């Protein structure tokens, strides 16, 4: 039997409505990190941790260059390599969610359809932001000589994408982790 407890998203910038978090009654966020490591929910959390770490690495490299702790050649080499890994991972993760997981979750929990609409919309917006960032990375690839203005644009673009990504990952976890854990997926 469900109580009348109202659950709130795990962060203040969420786009989710509290009514979509009804599964938190059975699987509250406090229990997520105690889930069996062989389960899909724990794997999903691990994937998101990896995405946050990749985003953090890009932000770190941009700060290091802007604070004159990295030379252009090191910044360029390291940022291009880290961005290729991170954005490739992110694109792949979103493709699998869009093609496989979200449609399945919509069937399992039809009351969450609007929440998954929000996540789908996020994917489209993040993809547009990544396209802009990747265009700047392409310019960086072709600039062996220091270009502080390009580095500044890149830092801003990476940061904007990161803000969207961090919020999106938290929203996604609020919807997806209980579904995975409670349906034994």
């Amino acid at each position: 039997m469900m109580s009348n407890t109202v659950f709130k998203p795990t962060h203040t910038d969420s786009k989710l409505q509290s009514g979509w978090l009804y599964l938190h009654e059975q699987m509250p966020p406090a229990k997520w990190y105690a889930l069996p490591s062989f389960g899909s929910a724990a794997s999903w959390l691990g994937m998101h941790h990896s995405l946050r770490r990749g985003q953090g690495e890009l932000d770190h490299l941009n700060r290091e260059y802007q604070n004159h702790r990295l030379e252009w050649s090191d910044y360029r080499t390291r940022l291009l390599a880290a961005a290729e890994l991170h954005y490739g991972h992110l694109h792949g993760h979103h493709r699998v969610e869009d093609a496989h997981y979200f449609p399945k979750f919509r069937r399992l929990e039809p009351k969450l359809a609007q929440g998954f609409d929000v996540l789908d919309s996020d994917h489209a917006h993040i993809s547009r932001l990544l396209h802009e960032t990747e265009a700047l990375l392409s310019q960086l690839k072709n600039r062996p000589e220091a270009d502080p203005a390009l580095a500044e644009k890149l830092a801003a673009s990476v940061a904007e994408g990161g803000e969207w990504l961090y919020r999106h990952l938290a929203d996604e976890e609020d919807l997806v982790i209980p579904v995975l854990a409670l349906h034994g997926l």
Side-chain angles (χ1 to χ4, degrees):
M1 183 172 149
M2 303 290 267
S3 73
N4 290 327
T5 304
V6 174
F7 286 89
K8 294 182 179 174
T10 56
H11 59 101
T12 57
D13 295 327
S14 178
K15 289 185 172 183
L16 301 180
Q17 296 177 13
S18 62
W20 300 338
L21 304 178
Y22 61 89
L23 294 176
H24 285 208
E25 182 82 23
Q26 299 166 62
M27 180 52 63
K31 291 186 177 182
W32 294 354
Y33 288 94
L35 291 166
S37 61
F38 54 83
S40 293
S43 295
W44 201 288
L45 289 168
M47 180 76 63
H48 281 194
H49 174 74
S50 175
L51 290 168
R52 286 181 178 101
R53 190 172 173 192
Q55 181 64 41
E57 176 68 12
L58 297 180
D59 292 333
H60 171 75
L61 290 169
N62 281 315
R63 280 191 309 275
E64 289 295 288
Y65 180 74
Q66 290 174 329
N67 291 322
H68 309 289
R69 290 190 289 263
L70 269 181
E71 296 295 324
W72 179 260
S73 62
D74 289 337
Y75 165 72
R76 183 174 165 264
T77 300
R78 290 175 62 188
L79 188 71
L80 288 169
E84 182 176 355
L85 285 173
H86 175 60
Y87 292 141
H89 183 197
L90 182 57
H91 283 304
H93 181 66
H94 284 178
R95 274 192 299 275
V96 169
E97 289 173 343
D98 293 340
H100 176 69
Y101 284 105
F102 290 177
K104 184 177 194 170
F105 297 157
R106 286 173 190 276
R107 288 189 302 276
L108 289 170
E109 294 292 336
K111 293 192 292 188
L112 295 179
Q114 289 179 304
F116 287 106
D117 290 345
V118 167
L119 298 181
D120 284 337
S121 176
D122 283 353
H123 283 186
H125 186 77
I126 290 168
S127 181
R128 285 189 296 275
L129 293 173
L130 291 183
H131 181 73
E132 293 169 13
T133 301
E134 289 167 337
L136 292 169
L137 288 165
S138 181
Q139 291 178 35
L140 179 66
K141 195 177 214 175
N142 296 315
R143 295 266 167 66
E145 300 301 319
D147 187 341
L150 175 58
E152 193 172 313
K153 287 179 192 174
L154 257 166
S157 186
V158 166
E160 182 182 5
E163 288 174 23
W164 272 84
L165 178 63
Y166 290 131
R167 195 242 344 119
H168 169 75
L169 293 174
D171 279 353
E172 191 172 286
E173 289 164 1
D174 279 346
L175 282 184
V176 167
I177 298 306
V179 173
L180 288 169
L182 295 170
H183 286 280
L185 301 174

